[in-house]
Amino acid sequence: MKHGVVRLILSLSLSFLDIYPAFSAQPPTNEEIVQRLSPKIEQLNRKELIELAKAYSALGNSAEAVKTYTAILAIATKSPETLTAIGTEQIKMGKEIEARQTLKTAVEINKKYLPAYRQLIRLYEKRKNKYELRMIYADLVSILGNKPEYITNLCDLTTAEGLFDQAMAYCKFGMELNSTEPKNFVNMAIVLRETGKATEAESHLKS
């Protein structure tokens, strides 16, 4: 009787795993995904191509990731998500000129696609290009509104560039939007000091 029950339980377990194979194995590794999908890349659908591209990226193979994402563009020609993924891999490869153009194309397709802006910001921060950073944050304010993050960065950048009239306006607005962000107060103090208002600058540093 006991052996019969055990056989029945085993039989039911095997049947369950046949119906629900996801429960019978661990998710494939990135290496396994590449091994399984790369030989038939020309037959893959968009979902499978994305899976393969992400696996290449996770394995640090940006060149193959770019090739695979480019194949996706043949299916979805105007995809800011795919273009941003390509731009991200190009940054990893040190191809900054190509990355900039790719990411700008993504933004042109969808001006509200924030991940593309994030990668452009990453690129310009790496190059310490304050002018381009300021232009990006100004665009973000114009397109997505006066978010505290954008105003604070504009306060910081205009101060660093010596654009004190603009800096004063941005820093003041930044303090109104987020009274706990020290950058706004520190930069306002710098602006006041540089414009001959040292006493007022001290009060902002003590705020």
Side-chain angles (χ1 to χ4, degrees), residues 177-197:
L177 291 174
N178 185 358
S179 61
T180 63
E181 174 52 68
K183 281 186 179 181
N184 295 315
F185 291 88
V186 171
N187 282 310
M188 177 63 95
I190 292 170
V191 171
L192 291 169
R193 189 174 293 159
E194 292 295 324
T195 53
K197 300 175 182 178

Side-chain angles (χ1 to χ4, degrees), residues 47-199:
K47 183 179 178 181
E48 291 168 329
L49 284 168
I50 291 171
E51 184 181 11
L52 178 58
K54 286 182 176 180
Y56 276 130
S57 179
L59 292 170
N61 193 338
S62 291
E64 289 300 324
V66 167
K67 288 180 184 178
T68 309
Y69 281 123
T70 301
I72 296 170
L73 287 179
I75 301 170
T77 55
K78 294 185 177 181
S79 169
E81 296 86 356
T82 303
L83 287 165
T84 300
I86 291 173
T88 301
E89 297 301 326
Q90 288 170 330
I91 291 173
K92 291 179 185 177
M93 296 165 70
K95 296 184 176 182
E96 296 182 357
I97 295 174
E98 292 93 328
R100 176 183 175 184
Q101 187 55 53
T102 302
L103 294 165
K104 284 195 168 186
T105 302
V107 168
E108 287 168 6
I109 292 170
N110 184 350
K111 293 187 181 299
K112 293 186 177 182
Y113 190 63
L114 190 55
Y117 288 104
R118 293 289 185 201
Q119 291 303 318
L120 280 168
I121 288 168
R122 174 187 168 197
L123 178 59
Y124 291 133
E125 283 179 340
K126 180 181 177 183
R127 298 169 73 177
K128 298 182 180 179
N129 190 328
K130 293 183 176 64
Y131 172 80
E132 291 290 357
L133 283 168
R134 179 161 54 85
M135 292 299 100
I136 286 178
Y137 282 114
D139 285 344
L140 287 171
V141 167
S142 175
I143 295 164
L144 299 177
N146 293 319
K147 296 183 184 294
E149 174 196 351
Y150 308 155
I151 300 300
T152 294
N153 277 290
L154 284 168
C155 162
D156 199 36
L157 289 162
T158 50
T159 301
E161 290 182 275
L163 304 171
F164 296 131
D165 288 343
Q166 293 182 47
M168 189 172 291
Y170 282 128
C171 295
K172 182 180 179 182
F173 192 24
M175 289 188 290
E176 293 171 1
L177 291 174
N178 185 358
S179 61
T180 63
E181 174 52 68
K183 281 186 179 181
N184 295 315
F185 291 88
V186 171
N187 282 310
M188 177 63 95
I190 292 170
V191 171
L192 291 169
R193 189 174 293 159
E194 292 295 324
T195 53
K197 300 175 182 178
T199 303

